[in-house]
Amino acid sequence: DAQAFAHDAFCVRVATSFRQRVPARELERELSTPPALHGHPSVSDMTVSMDHRAVSNVSFCSAIMFVVSAMFYVWGFTTEFSAQFPASPEGLRDRLLNRTAGEERMERYMALDPEILRPLWTARAAALMPYLLAEFSAAVAWAMVIPTVLSTAAVMGGHRSSSTAFSGCFIACAIISLINFTYQAGTVTVTDWISTWPSMQSRNETDPTDHEGTGFGPLQALEINFLISNSRTLWLFCMDELLVSIGLAFAAWLVCTGNNEYFGKCWATYSILVSVFSLCGFFVNIFRMVRWREFGVLAGAITAIIDAFFLPVWIVWLAFILRQASPPGPSYMTSGHMVDPKAGGVEMSAASTEGV
């Protein structure tokens, strides 16, 4: 920061004075005056400008990964849907619009009917790879968001507590996404392997390993265990939506209460819009535990809109802002640069103090 920069320049001057045997009176006079750089304005009159161009490039990659993750989710959903149901247009229209048929199917599922569970596990096996790729892409995208929000917090004013809360929410989202991916990868791969065991595929009523005559067997036990394990992922996803909403609200608060030339009211308004959508997604995901059929479709639609459009646009917009906040130059800066606003934005780095 500015104080550390001034201290370093001052120490260089003192060491150089001893090496050049500067008279004691002259050195005492310099020690009694504020540590200004020779030929340049005082450090107190300058501000620090950091290079965020590398971070902005990472932001573009993060936005792309969010879109790729959404595409993988769509691929997995369509694969699972087409593998579980007939592909005729009449059947599709009946499944989407016939409420009675859907309720009857849900009742059979809650009764753990093997004729419902077997196609379901076949469909899950077909959609395993797209879903894993979607989870992996989302985890990578959230990891790339971390340097973006840290740079944004620094530009907005790193000394404010709201900046810490803003970056902390997104870092927590990245951690949750990584945990969710590793947990999901282990759960779906192992359960998919178990679903191929012979005891899960038996249809012979005389087979002693076939417990379907009693209404409960290995396949039913696997389905219950899968639902219980997957419920943790559902709550992790809900917390992810909530943290995104809180983080975006803090971002808008920093813009509205601060005096930053790079972040305008339009960006703050857009942040509030995405925050509201994320909050709605959080509540809808909670409500679908009560009415899965109705709120499940709505939760999927809201999540798709946020992850495939709203959040990538917000990140790309942020990347352009970070580029504007970076000092001009042909190459990336390796450290903070002191900018003199009174001299038209003249930049100084630590190298400029050499030989002083």
Side-chain angles (χ1 to χ4, degrees):
D1 54 9
Q3 293 181 352
F5 186 86
H7 179 268
D8 293 342
F10 187 62
C11 291
V12 169
R13 174 54 183 159
V14 173
T16 306
S17 300
F18 280 106
R19 187 171 63 251
Q20 297 177 352
R21 297 181 180 180
V22 177
R25 289 185 179 180
E26 181 178 348
L27 181 59
E28 181 180 359
R29 184 173 61 254
E30 291 190 10
L31 291 173
S32 62
T33 57
L37 300 178
H38 293 275
H40 297 282
S42 174
V43 175
S44 60
D45 297 331
M46 296 186 290
T47 58
V48 179
S49 178
M50 302 297 295
D51 194 331
H52 305 284
R53 284 175 289 182
V55 176
S56 67
N57 293 335
V58 175
S59 303
F60 289 126
C61 296
S62 175
I64 294 174
M65 291 302 294
F66 273 114
V67 176
V68 170
S69 176
M71 294 173 63
F72 279 133
Y73 271 120
V74 173
W75 177 24
F77 177 78
T78 54
T79 302
E80 181 179 3
F81 197 81
S82 60
Q84 188 176 0
F85 301 103
S88 62
E90 295 79 8
L92 177 62
R93 184 174 60 254
D94 183 69
R95 289 191 300 272
L96 294 178
L97 302 179
N98 193 337
R99 181 183 180 89
T100 304
E103 292 179 351
E104 291 178 356
R105 182 176 180 82
M106 189 63 185
E107 291 178 358
R108 293 179 62 189
Y109 172 77
M110 295 175 64
L112 299 175
D113 187 349
E115 298 301 325
I116 297 294
L117 297 183
R118 284 199 181 94
L120 179 60
W121 279 100
T122 302
R124 287 172 179 167
L128 175 62
M129 186 56 64
Y131 281 143
L132 285 182
L133 290 175
E135 295 282 353
F136 176 75
S137 302
V140 172
W142 278 113
M144 291 181 176
V145 168
I146 293 179
T148 303
V149 297
L150 291 177
S151 294
T152 303
V155 174
M156 286 182 173
H159 60 281
R160 299 182 61 182
S161 59
S162 301
S163 300
T164 304
F166 160 70
S167 57
C169 288
F170 283 91
I171 293 174
C173 287
I175 295 174
I176 289 176
S177 297
L178 180 60
I179 294 175
N180 182 50
F181 166 69
T182 55
Y183 185 81
Q184 280 290 90
T187 300
V188 299
T189 52
V190 173
T191 52
D192 177 66
W193 173 58
I194 294 176
S195 66
T196 61
W197 290 2
S199 60
M200 303 291 177
Q201 307 297 326
S202 176
R203 291 176 177 268
N204 187 3
E205 296 180 355
T206 62
D207 192 338
T209 63
D210 190 353
H211 303 280
E212 295 175 8
T214 63
F216 194 86
L219 186 61
Q220 289 87 342
L222 179 64
E223 181 65 24
I224 293 176
N225 185 43
F226 180 79
L227 287 179
I228 294 174
S229 300
N230 216 34
S231 63
R232 300 180 183 178
T233 301
L234 179 61
W235 279 101
L236 285 175
F237 188 79
C238 290
M239 290 305 301
D240 192 65
E241 297 278 353
L242 180 61
L243 288 172
V244 169
S245 177
I246 296 174
L248 293 172
F250 273 116
W253 170 262
L254 286 168
V255 174
C256 294
T257 59
N259 187 19
N260 195 291
E261 59 179 318
Y262 302 109
F263 296 91
K265 300 299 182 182
C266 294
W267 186 82
T269 303
Y270 185 77
S271 299
I272 294 175
L273 175 64
V274 183
S275 176
V276 172
F277 264 87
S278 299
L279 188 62
C280 292
F282 166 74
F283 285 113
V284 170
N285 278 285
I286 294 296
F287 291 152
R288 73 173 178 172
M289 300 178 187
V290 181
R291 302 285 295 183
W292 184 271
R293 178 178 172 82
E294 291 80 1
F295 289 102
V297 176
L298 182 59
I302 294 177
T303 302
I305 293 174
I306 294 175
D307 292 346
F309 179 75
F310 282 138
L311 198 57
V313 170
W314 183 82
I315 294 174
V316 170
W317 196 344
L318 188 57
F320 282 111
I321 294 176
L322 291 177
R323 280 187 173 273
Q324 293 177 359
S326 301
S331 60
Y332 294 109
M333 313 295 184
T334 58
S335 62
H337 281 237
M338 306 303 296
V339 179
D340 178 21
K342 297 180 180 179
V346 176
E347 299 177 7
M348 295 181 59
S349 64
S352 63
T353 62
E354 295 179 359
V356 176

